[in-house]
Each structure stands twice: as C-alpha cells, then as structure tokens.
Amino acid sequence: MCGRFTLFTPLPELLTRFSASIDPAIQYQPQYNIAPSQSVLAVVEERGRNIIKPLKWGLIPHWAQDPKIGYKMINARAETIDEKASFKTPFWRQRCLILSNGFYEWKKVGKGKTPIRFRLKGDKPFAFAGLWERWKSDEGEEIYTCTIITTEPNDLTREVHNRMPVILHAKSEKIWLDSSVDDAELLKSLLIPYPSSEMEAYEVSNLVNSPKNTGAEFITPLNSL
C-alpha cells in the first residue's frame, strides 16, 4: 500500500516537469509527511491542458452516502481497478497524476518497525497513477478526492512491503491523463512496478511515524537499505 509520502520539489520545477499550470490562489508548501485525508497536489487534464489542483487523499465515490468511506479508499489495486464499483467509473474518465518525490513504508525489525523512504535517484519528482472523484452532499457541499493505485513490489520495495504505489514512467503520463483513451488493456499495462534500478531507499527518523509531525529533518538519511 501507500500511506505516506512527500512533495517538496520547488513549484517552478513541478510546473515545468509536468507541463502544467496552477491556480495562483493555491499556496504551495513543501510537505514532508503527507497522510490520508490531507490535501495533495494532482495533475488533471482540462480541455487539453494540464492543470495542478488540490485533492483530498481518500476517494469518496460519487454515489456514497457517507463521506467517511474515503478513509478506506486511499489506495486502489491495479489488478482490479476496472472491476471495483468504487473505482471503475473514474478509471475510465477521471484519471490523474498525484505529485510526489518520495514515499514511506515501514520495515519490520525485530518487534518494531523502521520507516524507510523510497525515491527516484537524484530525488527527481514523479507521479503516482491516481483516480479522482467529485462527491456532492445533500446540502450541496462538493469534495474533490483521489486515490493512489498500487501494484506488485519491485525488488527494492519487496524487502519492506508486498505492494508499492504505481509510479508512472514520464512517457506514460500523457496516455494516463487522456480521458479519450478507453482501452483497458493499454491503461492497465501502465500500472506496473517501477524499475528498482532507478530507485533508492534509506532509513529515516521515527518522527515520521506520526502524521502530526512534519519537517525537513524527516528526509535525512540514517542508513541505506
């Protein structure tokens, strides 16, 4: 699964990397310990343009009666993405790129767990494959939410967890965002483990264990994996 990640790449670099624009009203802040139910930045396609928007992490299906269901929808399995009632509609029309430059998993060590940060070599920004939804309450409140798709682990993440978030190759991002693409086989072929040879991992502070904690010190390497 993916339950915590980071995004602190400078905004100008994100805009260039994803060929996107962003609402100037959005106040970008580096995030070192993003947790479920918090706001994340995602790229969506609108009329042929890439737009960066804030989404709440934890997808609320448009048909849900209780928005609390979003707490259980932070991840979606790639293998069944086009079958599950909660995800199959956004899979066809509401795909997005969730921006990140690293994610955390916890490795069992004795009776405890040690937080490990995974990133691309060079600490380059990347995109998780995501889905987004718009939920509207009976009172007219609208909430825009998202989920991160997971897949089988690569050789590096397998040492820590049996799932990993789907990191899209840059060349696949345009296809994933294109809502006119309705070839399930093609789309699901993008949802594969990212090459471990292009990633690295290292132990970080236990302070990251609590989503209430945040700070640049969280990403300081303690030991390499």
Side-chain angles (χ1 to χ4, degrees):
M1 65 175 294
C2 178
R4 213 75 65 76
F5 65 98
T6 63
L7 179 63
F8 51 85
T9 302
L11 183 58
E13 185 177 343
L14 292 176
L15 297 177
T16 299
R17 164 65 177 79
F18 295 99
S19 302
S21 59
I22 189 171
D23 186 332
I26 295 175
Q27 297 297 312
Y28 175 71
Q29 296 289 337
Q31 296 172 282
Y32 299 93
N33 195 15
I34 303 171
S37 81
Q38 294 181 0
S39 178
V40 305
L41 289 186
V43 177
V44 299
E45 185 188 57
E46 291 185 354
R47 295 184 288 276
R49 297 174 58 220
N50 289 351
I51 309 294
I52 296 178
K53 291 193 168 186
L55 300 173
K56 184 177 181 180
W57 185 14
L59 187 140
I60 306 173
H62 68 272
W63 43 259
Q65 297 297 311
D66 187 347
K68 291 181 181 178
I69 192 175
Y71 292 108
K72 300 178 181 180
M73 301 287 182
I74 64 170
N75 292 155
R77 294 177 67 91
E79 296 85 347
T80 56
I81 196 73
D82 56 342
E83 301 170 11
K84 297 294 184 179
S86 300
F87 305 125
K88 63 181 181 180
T89 296
F91 172 70
W92 292 118
R93 293 290 178 265
Q94 293 161 195
R95 299 183 293 270
C96 65
L97 308 177
I98 299 174
L99 306 187
S100 177
N101 62 351
F103 63 94
Y104 302 107
E105 288 293 357
W106 278 258
K107 183 178 182 179
K108 290 184 178 179
V109 179
K111 295 183 178 180
K113 292 185 177 181
T114 298
I116 306 294
R117 181 170 182 256
F118 294 89
R119 65 181 181 183
L120 300 192
K121 290 181 177 178
D123 222 356
K124 296 177 293 186
F126 56 81
F128 296 127
L131 307 175
W132 69 270
E133 260 284 21
R134 179 177 70 94
W135 180 84
K136 190 173 183 179
S137 71
D138 293 337
E139 293 74 31
E141 177 191 15
E142 290 186 333
I143 304 177
Y144 289 82
T145 62
C146 64
T147 189
I148 293 173
I149 300 172
T150 67
T151 187
E152 295 293 318
N154 60 23
D155 290 340
L156 181 64
T157 57
R158 184 176 290 110
E159 297 183 38
V160 179
H161 203 279
N162 62 0
R163 303 288 294 178
M164 71 174 292
V166 173
I167 298 174
L168 289 170
H169 290 270
K171 63 183 180 181
S172 301
E173 293 167 358
K174 185 175 181 179
I175 298 173
W176 184 253
L177 281 180
D178 189 346
S179 60
S180 69
V181 176
D182 59 3
D183 184 333
E185 185 175 350
L186 170 61
L187 291 169
K188 293 183 75 172
S189 73
L190 308 179
L191 307 178
I192 57 177
Y194 201 80
S196 57
S197 61
E198 298 179 26
M199 298 177 63
E200 56 191 8
Y202 57 86
E203 180 184 341
V204 294
S205 169
N206 284 322
L207 288 172
V208 79
N209 292 352
S210 172
K212 295 180 181 179
N213 297 332
T214 186
E217 66 273 16
F218 286 9
I219 63 169
T220 301
L222 299 183
N223 294 294
S224 297
L225 188 63

